Amino acid sequence: MSGERRMTGAVGRVRGTRSYRISAHDRRQLSSSYGVHEELDRLIFGPDSVEEATQNLFKRYKDQANLPSRVRVRIYLMKAVCIFSEKLVNPFLSLRLGQDADQARLKPRGGEGQQNHSMPSFYHVEERDIQLPQQGRLQLDMSHLADGGFDGFVGREQLIGSTVVDLEDRWHSANLTQATLRKRVPVEHRPLIGSGAAGKNGGSLEMRIEMLDSVKASDEPAANLAKPAPTKLEVRFVIRTTTGVRIVDGEHTDVKIVVELECDEYLADQSLYPKSQATDTHHNSRTGDAIFNWRVVFPQIAMPTTGCNVHFKVYDSNSIVGDTFIGEVVIDIRRHLSKVSRDLDMLVIEKGELAFKDDGRSIGGDAKDEVGDVGKVQFEMHVLTQSEDAAQKLAGVGREEPNCYPQLAAPVDGRTMWGDVLAPLVWEWPTMGLFGRVAPLIVFGLLCLMFFRWLDLV
C-alpha cells in the first residue's frame, strides 16, 4: 500500500521520505507533561500499570507519613469589589476550612464608614493550623446583610459570591514553596461566583496565601498587613472670565464667583483652604462680562472618593446689604480624580466653559424668577498628585505667592477706576472735560473730611 509505514527499532522509514531516528531526548519529551515537575512525571510514566502509578501518587501526596502533622496557613485578605443587584450593600466575609461547621466571619475595617459600601477593605490576616488532606478545602463567602444589621450580624443574609481554594494542591506546589521562602507570594484577584445561573459574577476578592510547616512557623512571623495610605490629590481651578451674567442691580452687576467643594474625603486644613472660596469682585459690569484671573485651590483629597461635586455660583456683590444670588452650575469631577489616581499623571483642562442656571430663587431688581441661563464662566481645571506634582508646582490661592502654574495677572477693569466703584452708590458722572475726571476725587475727599470732622479729628 502507498501509505504503508515500516519501523525497525529506533529507525523508521516512510515510503517516499527520508529515514528518521527517535532520539533519547524525543523519548523523554514524549513521556512527560509540559511544565510538570520531573518527579511527578516519573510517578506517572515510570510504572508499568495504572494501579502502580495510582499507588505511587497516593503514597507521595496522601500518605500521612509524608505529610507534616500540622500546616500553618496564612490568609491575607485585602479588599473586595462586590457586584450585587441591591443598591444597599452591607458586606461581610465568611471563611471555612474543610468540612468544619464553624467559620470565621469578618466585617470590613473602618467602622461605620465601610458599611453600605461596594468596595469593602479588610486588611486582615487569618492564621490557622490545619491537617491535610482533611482541611485542604478553603471556601470564602462574601455575603450581604439585607436588613441593615451589622454589629451583631443581625439581619437576613444574602450571598454575593464565593471562591474556593485547594490548599492541598498548594502545599505540594514547588513554585508556591519557593515563593513563600522568598517572601514573594503573589497577590490574587479571585472571582466571587454567585449562585445564579451560569455562575453569576459577584465581583472579586484581593488576597494571597502562605503555607508552611507549623513547626517552622514560629521562626517566620506573618507579614504586617496594613491598609496602604490613600493617594491624595489637589484640584485647582483658575476662574478666568464671565460673559453675559444677568444684570440685577439697575443697569449693572458687581460680579463675584464662589466655588464650593462637596466631598467627604476632603482632608485639608479649612482655615487655609476652606470648602467655599470666593473671587474678588468685578465692579459695575454693564454687560455681565467680567474678568478675574483668580485661583481656587482644594488640596488633600483622599482617594478613592465616593463622590466629588464642585458648585460654581455667581452673585451680585454688595458689602452693605449682602450678596444677591444669580445662578449656579454643578459638575461631578470624580471621574477626573479617578483617572489621575490610577495613572498618576497630571490632568489639565485649559478651556472649560459652564453655563449658570437660575434655579428659581428670587434675585431682586427687575429680573424675573425664571429658570434658565444667566451667564457663563470660563475656567481652567488642574488635577495633580499631592505628593509629587502639587509639591513641585506650588501655587497660592487667588493671586497670592507663589503665583505660578499658571502665573495670573491682576485685572484692571472693574477694580481701579473710581467710576466703577462709586457708580452703584452715587450717580453716573456727566462728561465735563478735565473737571469730570477729577470730580470723583473731589467728592471722595469731601466725604473723608466730613467723616474726620465727625470724629473730631480735624
Side-chain angles (χ1 to χ4, degrees):
M1 296 177 62
S2 60
E4 183 181 359
R5 180 174 63 182
R6 287 179 286 182
M7 297 180 61
T8 303
V11 179
R13 183 185 181 90
V14 177
R15 185 175 297 173
T17 65
R18 297 181 180 180
S19 62
Y20 62 90
R21 182 180 298 275
I22 299 177
S23 65
H25 176 71
D26 294 334
R27 290 183 181 279
R28 285 194 299 271
Q29 286 192 317
L30 289 171
S31 61
S32 64
S33 300
Y34 179 76
V36 175
H37 196 271
E38 292 182 0
E39 181 184 3
L40 184 59
D41 275 334
R42 287 196 298 270
L43 292 174
I44 297 297
F45 294 103
D48 295 329
S49 65
V50 175
E51 291 78 10
E52 186 179 354
T54 303
Q55 291 175 0
N56 289 345
L57 282 174
F58 185 86
K59 184 177 181 180
R60 170 66 178 82
Y61 293 106
K62 301 288 186 178
D63 194 341
Q64 291 294 330
N66 295 326
L67 292 174
S69 58
R70 307 289 287 181
V71 173
R72 180 69 55 86
V73 179
R74 292 171 179 157
I75 307 165
Y76 295 82
L77 302 166
M78 279 76 97
K79 57 186 177 181
V81 176
C82 299
I83 300 175
F84 200 50
S85 58
E86 295 189 14
K87 182 178 180 180
L88 186 65
V89 177
N90 284 336
F92 70 94
L93 191 62
S94 299
L95 181 150
R96 187 193 302 273
L97 285 164
Q99 300 300 319
D100 295 347
D102 296 333
Q103 56 182 343
R105 307 176 76 185
L106 308 172
K107 66 179 181 179
R109 298 183 64 180
E112 296 295 326
Q114 285 293 331
Q115 297 186 35
N116 309 327
H117 204 298
S118 61
M119 298 180 65
S121 298
F122 296 95
Y123 293 95
H124 173 81
V125 181
E126 190 72 20
E127 195 165 4
R128 301 285 187 87
D129 285 341
I130 65 170
Q131 281 186 309
L132 293 176
Q134 295 92 330
Q135 295 174 298
R137 184 179 187 273
L138 169 64
Q139 180 172 335
L140 296 159
D141 298 327
M142 184 69 70
S143 301
H144 147 73
L145 292 174
D147 297 332
F150 210 89
D151 289 338
F153 286 94
V154 177
R156 179 169 53 89
E157 299 179 8
Q158 289 184 261
L159 180 67
I160 297 174
S162 303
T163 187
V164 176
V165 181
D166 188 341
L167 296 178
E168 185 182 7
D169 182 63
R170 299 257 176 144
W171 173 253
H172 293 297
S173 169
N175 292 335
L176 184 59
T177 300
Q178 290 297 319
T180 302
L181 293 175
R182 296 177 184 181
K183 306 291 186 182
R184 291 185 177 180
V185 177
V187 174
E188 307 174 50
H189 293 83
R190 299 190 61 83
L192 296 170
I193 306 302
S195 57
K200 183 180 178 181
N201 180 15
S204 63
L205 178 63
E206 184 178 323
M207 60 179 291
R208 60 187 174 92
I209 296 175
E210 291 180 355
M211 299 182 68
L212 61 162
D213 194 317
S214 294
V215 177
K216 302 176 182 179
S218 58
D219 298 329
E220 298 290 340
N224 182 29
L225 188 59
K227 186 175 181 179
T231 301
K232 293 182 180 179
L233 305 180
E234 179 169 306
V235 179
R236 301 172 183 171
F237 292 95
V238 178
I239 308 301
R240 290 294 187 182
T241 58
T242 63
T243 54
V245 173
R246 179 181 287 175
I247 303 302
V248 299
D249 189 4
E251 296 181 353
H252 74 278
T253 294
D254 297 328
V255 185
K256 182 174 75 174
I257 305 296
V258 175
V259 183
E260 295 181 357
L261 179 68
E262 181 185 357
C263 180
D264 292 337
E265 292 76 20
Y266 185 52
L267 306 179
D269 182 352
Q270 294 194 40
S271 65
L272 300 175
Y273 302 97
K275 282 189 173 182
S276 179
Q277 300 181 29
T279 66
D280 62 352
T281 300
H282 183 116
H283 294 280
N284 197 34
S285 173
R286 298 177 180 277
T287 61
D289 297 350
I291 183 170
F292 295 98
N293 290 338
W294 191 272
R295 184 183 294 105
V296 174
V297 181
F298 297 117
Q300 303 292 334
I301 300 176
M303 297 296 293
T305 174
T306 56
C308 198
N309 293 333
V310 178
H311 299 246
F312 292 84
K313 300 180 180 181
V314 59
Y315 291 87
D316 173 41
S317 178
N318 192 311
S319 58
I320 299 176
V321 299
D323 299 339
T324 301
F325 175 82
I326 298 176
E328 178 183 16
V329 61
V330 183
I331 60 172
D332 183 355
I333 63 170
R334 180 173 52 177
R335 64 186 182 90
H336 300 300
L337 299 180
S338 298
K339 183 178 188 305
V340 174
S341 177
R342 181 182 66 250
D343 301 338
L344 299 180
D345 291 330
M346 183 174 65
L347 181 147
V348 177
I349 297 177
E350 293 185 347
K351 295 182 179 180
E353 184 174 80
L354 297 171
F356 294 113
K357 301 290 184 180
D358 173 13
D359 62 1
R361 303 186 207 179
S362 176
I363 58 176
D366 297 328
K368 297 180 180 180
D369 295 345
E370 297 177 354
V371 176
D373 293 347
V374 290
K376 296 180 179 180
V377 59
Q378 292 76 37
F379 67 97
E380 298 174 13
M381 184 176 76
H382 303 246
V383 183
L384 311 90
T385 57
Q386 192 70 60
S387 59
E388 295 185 11
D389 295 333
Q392 296 173 6
K393 297 178 170 63
L394 298 176
V397 176
R399 292 181 291 272
E400 296 177 359
E401 295 295 334
N403 183 9
C404 48
Y405 303 110
Q407 184 175 7
L408 302 176
V412 175
D413 293 347
R415 271 81 176 179
T416 59
M417 296 178 65
W418 284 105
D420 292 336
V421 178
L422 296 179
L425 302 177
V426 192
W427 59 84
E428 186 169 341
W429 298 97
T431 303
M432 294 182 292
L434 180 61
F435 177 77
R437 296 186 180 184
V438 301
L441 295 176
I442 297 173
V443 172
F444 182 74
L446 292 174
L447 291 173
C448 291
L449 182 60
M450 293 171 61
F451 179 71
F452 289 145
R453 288 185 60 85
W454 180 68
L455 294 176
D456 293 330
L457 296 179
V458 294

